[in-house]
Amino acid sequence: MKRAAEQLAGYPFENASTHTSATNLVYLQTLIMMALESDNHGPATMRGQAGPSRSEWLGRAAGVASQLEINVVKHRDSLLTGGDPDSEDRLGRRVWWVLFILDRWHASSTADLLKLPENSVVLLPDDLSLLGESTYHLARLSFIIGHLAAILTTTKTPETNVMAPSNPASALLGLTIAGEIDRFRESVEQTWGALSLVHLCYHHCHLLIKRLNPNTEPTELIGHAFKVATFLNQYSTPITPLNHHFAALSAMTLCELVEVEKTKEEAIKGIGQISEALGTRRGFAGNEESMGWDSAIRELIIATKSKLQSTGGAEAELLGGLRGLADAAIKEGAGADNAKYDPTFLTRYGYLTALGQGTYKGR
């Protein structure tokens, strides 16, 4: 990764006459690949221990993409009627949508600023054939995720938190965002069976929406968190650069819900689903020895199971045969007091930031 980063750093200083539109596009694709590679190292890159972070690579890619203007449709007819399915125009537009999707998911998981503005691109009917049905609907959903990311950046201080219970705008914002995801569901629900990735993304997004609302009850979270865990433990679930997002938010939520009596039983089953998926590498990009996000999620689950075992009872029977680990606090300052349960905790810093920096486990 270091050698690749050094070579990429030299590209802008090369003779401009050697930079064609094709080589510039390859340069942009490589920056995106470096963002994905950085993410494979998990929490280490967020702590500055494995080279440039995903945020840095996405920022550079966004700058190059804007400079190349690959989001601008110069010849709309050629999107469908052109002979080469991998022409520069078509390939460039697909690259832009990949970057757009990754940018939205990054921002929503880290409470970071968006790299690409909301009005940078318009999803056209022609994009359905260009991207394929699954990616097309993922792009649609990523607009909603971008709106969530914009809200997340306000939740870091009481003065700016638009979702604070005392803010009169919180109820209206919550209703608006919930309406967006419901309209999305209505438009694709009939194709759920054929679009498992879109179905999974929907439940992840809905879970994040509910976590934004300070008035959300634990019973409103369990259904979506359990659904995500179940999907991840299915052989049909594809491995994508987004799967650790699904697993992280679902696992962190389920580990909280274990401490709530009404949701404890289903939360334990959901944790078991994710644990099994990690053990068999179903739907995850890492492996047993990985120090990436798989490892961080695995440690959280083991700590939670260990805590349950130490309490004895039915939970220990359901989770028998598990390895022990040192105690880990599931919620900062919350302990076992359900009255202090805060459904918005993970959204204050973003779920991956909280997990990657150790904030979530009280370290």
Side-chain angles (χ1 to χ4, degrees):
M1 186 175 181
K2 182 179 179 182
R3 290 194 298 271
E6 289 171 348
Q7 290 187 330
L8 283 170
Y11 181 80
F13 296 96
E14 294 176 358
N15 188 334
S17 63
T18 65
H19 293 179
T20 65
S21 57
T23 58
N24 285 333
L25 191 57
V26 172
Y27 174 55
L28 173 58
Q29 289 176 294
T30 308
L31 292 174
I32 294 175
M33 293 293 287
M34 292 297 280
L36 296 176
E37 160 61 13
S38 173
D39 214 18
N40 285 338
H41 297 277
T45 54
M46 302 189 77
R47 297 191 293 263
Q49 299 172 344
S53 67
R54 174 178 56 176
S55 182
E56 283 189 62
W57 289 117
L58 289 176
R60 287 177 60 181
V64 173
S66 299
Q67 183 179 6
L68 298 180
E69 295 187 331
I70 56 174
N71 59 315
V72 178
V73 179
K74 301 179 180 64
H75 308 97
R76 182 167 178 177
D77 291 342
S78 67
L79 287 181
L80 287 177
T81 61
D84 184 5
D86 290 323
S87 65
E88 284 187 20
D89 284 347
R90 290 181 177 184
L91 185 57
R93 188 159 178 84
R94 286 199 294 265
V95 170
W96 181 276
W97 279 117
V98 168
L99 179 59
F100 181 88
I101 291 169
L102 291 176
D103 175 40
R104 264 54 189 166
W105 284 76
H106 164 75
S108 67
S109 64
T110 59
D112 195 6
L113 296 174
L114 296 170
K115 316 299 182 190
L116 298 175
E118 171 79 10
N119 61 353
S120 63
V121 68
V122 175
L123 193 62
L124 302 172
D126 300 342
D127 288 316
L128 179 59
S129 61
L130 185 71
L131 301 175
E133 191 172 13
S134 186
T135 306
Y136 177 82
H137 290 302
L138 178 56
R140 290 181 56 211
L141 191 57
S142 293
F143 277 102
I144 302 176
I145 293 173
H147 300 159
L148 294 176
I151 293 175
L152 286 172
T153 59
T154 76
T155 64
K156 298 184 179 183
T157 64
E159 294 78 13
T160 62
N161 187 0
V162 297
M163 293 305 292
S166 58
N167 192 320
S170 63
L172 181 58
L173 275 172
L175 184 64
T176 301
I177 296 294
E180 282 193 73
I181 194 66
D182 283 338
R183 300 297 80 75
F184 173 83
R185 174 186 55 78
E186 291 167 357
S187 67
V188 299
E189 195 169 18
Q190 61 183 358
T191 61
W192 275 155
L195 303 173
S196 59
L197 177 60
V198 177
H199 198 176
L200 186 54
C201 291
Y202 160 76
H203 285 289
H204 171 91
C205 188
H206 213 152
L207 178 59
L208 189 56
I209 288 173
K210 288 186 177 296
R211 293 200 68 104
L212 270 174
N213 190 334
N215 297 315
T216 296
E217 295 292 332
T219 52
E220 298 178 72
L221 299 173
I222 187 63
H224 295 292
F226 183 81
K227 199 77 173 180
V228 170
T230 301
F231 267 109
L232 289 173
N233 196 27
Q234 294 177 353
Y235 285 106
S236 60
T237 298
I239 295 177
T240 76
L242 302 180
N243 286 49
H244 63 285
H245 289 266
F246 308 142
L249 183 60
S250 175
M252 295 167 86
T253 302
L254 291 168
C255 286
E256 291 184 19
L257 296 178
V258 158
E259 297 189 2
V260 180
E261 194 61 38
K262 291 181 179 179
T263 57
K264 179 185 295 183
E265 183 177 351
E266 196 166 2
I268 289 173
K269 293 178 181 178
I271 291 172
Q273 292 277 0
I274 293 181
S275 181
E276 185 177 335
L278 282 167
T280 55
R281 296 187 64 186
R282 284 205 288 271
F284 289 79
N287 55 51
E288 188 65 28
E289 306 302 324
S290 171
M291 295 305 294
W293 291 113
D294 285 13
S295 180
I297 296 166
R298 184 181 293 109
E299 288 179 11
L300 173 65
I301 290 176
I302 292 173
T304 302
K305 290 176 177 180
S306 178
K307 187 172 183 179
L308 285 174
Q309 284 184 312
S310 68
T311 64
E315 299 97 309
E317 294 179 12
L318 283 170
L319 301 168
L322 302 167
R323 293 174 291 171
L325 245 186
D327 289 340
I330 302 305
K331 301 176 292 297
E332 184 177 51
D337 183 0
N338 294 337
K340 295 181 181 179
Y341 177 77
D342 184 358
T344 66
F345 177 77
L346 296 186
T347 61
R348 291 174 183 165
Y349 308 103
Y351 50 90
L352 287 187
T353 299
L355 184 62
Q357 299 290 2
T359 307
Y360 183 69
K361 293 188 282 188
R363 291 180 180 173

